[in-house]
Amino acid sequence: MRAAEDTPAGGVGAPASSARTVAVRYAGGVARRGPLTLGQANMIRCMLRDDPAYINIHAVWPVPEGVATRAVIDAFRTLVVRHEALRTTFPHGPDAAPREQVVAAEGRFAVTVVDHAEPPPDAERYADAERYAEAVADRDRVRRFGLAEEFPLRISVLTRRGTPTFVALAASHAATDAGALAVLHEEWRTLLTGTELPPLEAVTPLELAAEEASPAGVRKSDASLGYWERILRTGPQAMFAEPHAVPPEGRQPQLTLRSRRGARALARAATRTGNAPSTVLLTAWCALLAHRAGQSACVIALPTSNRFTRRLTRAVTTVSQDALLHLDVRVPSFDALLRTAFGGVLDAYRHSRFDALRLWEMVERVTDERGSHFARDAVFNDVSALAPAARDAAPPPEPGTGPESGPEPGPELELCWGPGQELPTRALAFAYATTPLLHLSLWADPALFPRAEAEGFLTGVVRLLEAVAAEDVPLSALGAVTGVRSAERGPRWRRVDGCWVSPPAVADALGRALDGRPVHVTVDEAPDGGAGPRLTAYVAAGGDPLTPERAHAGLRDVLPGRPGLLAPHRYVIVQGPPPDGGPGSAWTGRPVLAEGDGRKKRQVRHDGR
């Protein structure tokens, strides 16, 4: 099949001698249609609701030397015919979400080819050329994909004097996720060598949708919702509940670690403990994250970890649904934590397939009944086992460090800052490789992780792995071993119902939500070793009627983005505040008009009715 005539395209933000669009025709697929998968429905919901900069994904693929632009494009054509997800659209009306997917047998897609007579500034250095390609991919990422008609990949081939150097991709999250892009990258590189791809064995999106709709699939989805609800009702509502923990704004820079030290330490730690390197790395990450956050448990999302069955590992589709890990760190040592982590991770994996709409209905219910708002603060994506080709994308070794000279290629420990990205979370991490280099990237809220602390955190992971490689490490020694500080909270913070809470902040937020009424919040210790401390809010009634239900609804509205807030367990509506702003104890003597938890349509009245 031949590409259509080239047509002019816009510039790419760097000196270009030419920019053109190649219309690529494909045929040979099979036309099909059917219901959405749970992963597709989940991502489509996000795509219709959220800023595309948060939802779309992107990648940069170096082009091997000696490969022509036509070969790069032809490889993409082969992948489009091979994988149904790349030929899928999601028709829907103007005010409705898609309910089905439609697979085309033939069609066309566009590739933008941008040729430079001279390279962009400093492009002779690998990192700078890649940074430029990242900017191209990122530019295409911030535009919303048209689900009903648009091809799910925006492909730019960057060339220098006709020779391709990088492919910059932006991808629709309804068709792909990080694991799917890793599979596409590997197969694309294989095609560029002239090697034929093996027959497909992975599940297709329509096959996956049928599995999920089966009785066994529905039971799995129901079990996942129950698992999530247990965590949302008992775990910390936010990992980073600190005085300055406000929602991040703007783009957060990328920090990348490449380290031979880290890879060697991880391998030795895995051997000493008898665990897989991926489990050891995740345990180290969770232990250090919980230490940094000052939490007794680490609650972290593992989006790529639901590719844990053979038919899903190499599936080109989006299976992007969080596996939610709740890891209690109240154990004496790293090895003890590692023993609980293995089972906890398996449990999280098994419960990572669910109906997203029902999940968020449950989240809303728990928000009301518990009086907390779950914050997806921490995300850890381990794609090291999914993407062997990603290791080839690392910068070439420095002269004199190749195999012929003895030492392994790559730095002992290198930290590099890269381009920024919009974040819907506080700490997003990717593990790209564990050997021969430990290759991690972190995007973190700078209010919580200023540059020096972000660098110290990644370095601390390497130090922890080195310590664990030698012997078991007490978790009480994490600060000394890693150099990572724990969160600092003053006496105005208390741990209530598994969450760090600032009672004065609760009082202030509740007062503001109720048009400035005076509010006082107390922390009441549970008698006889009961369920732990409880919050009681004393609210001045003011001039108009006030009920616990109205007080609770008002606070619930301001919970998002305020991790230090937790709804009181009891609201006491009193006649008015103590005279002359008396001490807190004076609130308990005020005449009580009504009291209750505000979560049910009932209250206790004190006026005889």
Side-chain angles (χ1 to χ4, degrees), residues 33 64 146 149 172 276 285 289 303 311 321 377 555 577 581 589:
R33 68 193 306 149
E149 73 289 332
S172 165
W285 189 270
L289 195 72
R311 298 182 70 223
Q321 293 188 273
D377 273 357
L555 184 62

Side-chain angles (χ1 to χ4, degrees), residues 293-317:
Q295 295 284 10
S296 60
C298 182
V299 176
I300 190 167
L302 313 172
T304 57
S305 298
N306 46 18
R307 290 178 171 265
F308 64 97
T309 64
R310 180 179 178 184
R311 298 182 70 223
L312 283 173
T313 299
R314 298 190 61 80
V316 174
T317 184

Side-chain angles (χ1 to χ4, degrees), residues 455-500:
E455 293 175 356
F457 188 86
L458 287 188
T459 304
V461 172
V462 174
R463 289 173 176 166
L464 178 56
L465 292 174
E466 289 176 329
V468 169
E471 60 184 353
D472 194 7
V473 175
L475 293 190
S476 60
L478 284 180
V481 168
T482 66
V484 174
R485 71 172 182 89
S486 188
E488 299 175 358
R489 300 183 181 92
R492 292 160 66 91
W493 286 76
R494 295 289 303 274
R495 194 191 300 274
V496 178
D497 196 18
C499 305
W500 279 109

Side-chain angles (χ1 to χ4, degrees), residues 71-115:
V72 171
I73 295 174
D74 286 344
F76 275 109
R77 180 191 287 112
T78 300
L79 293 177
V80 171
V81 175
R82 176 177 171 86
H83 295 292
E84 290 188 359
L86 302 184
R87 295 183 278 115
T88 297
T89 52
F90 305 93
H92 62 97
D95 298 316
R99 292 183 175 272
E100 66 173 357
Q101 53 182 311
V102 177
V103 183
E106 59 184 26
R108 67 168 62 190
F109 61 95
V111 175
T112 300
V113 181
V114 182
D115 185 62

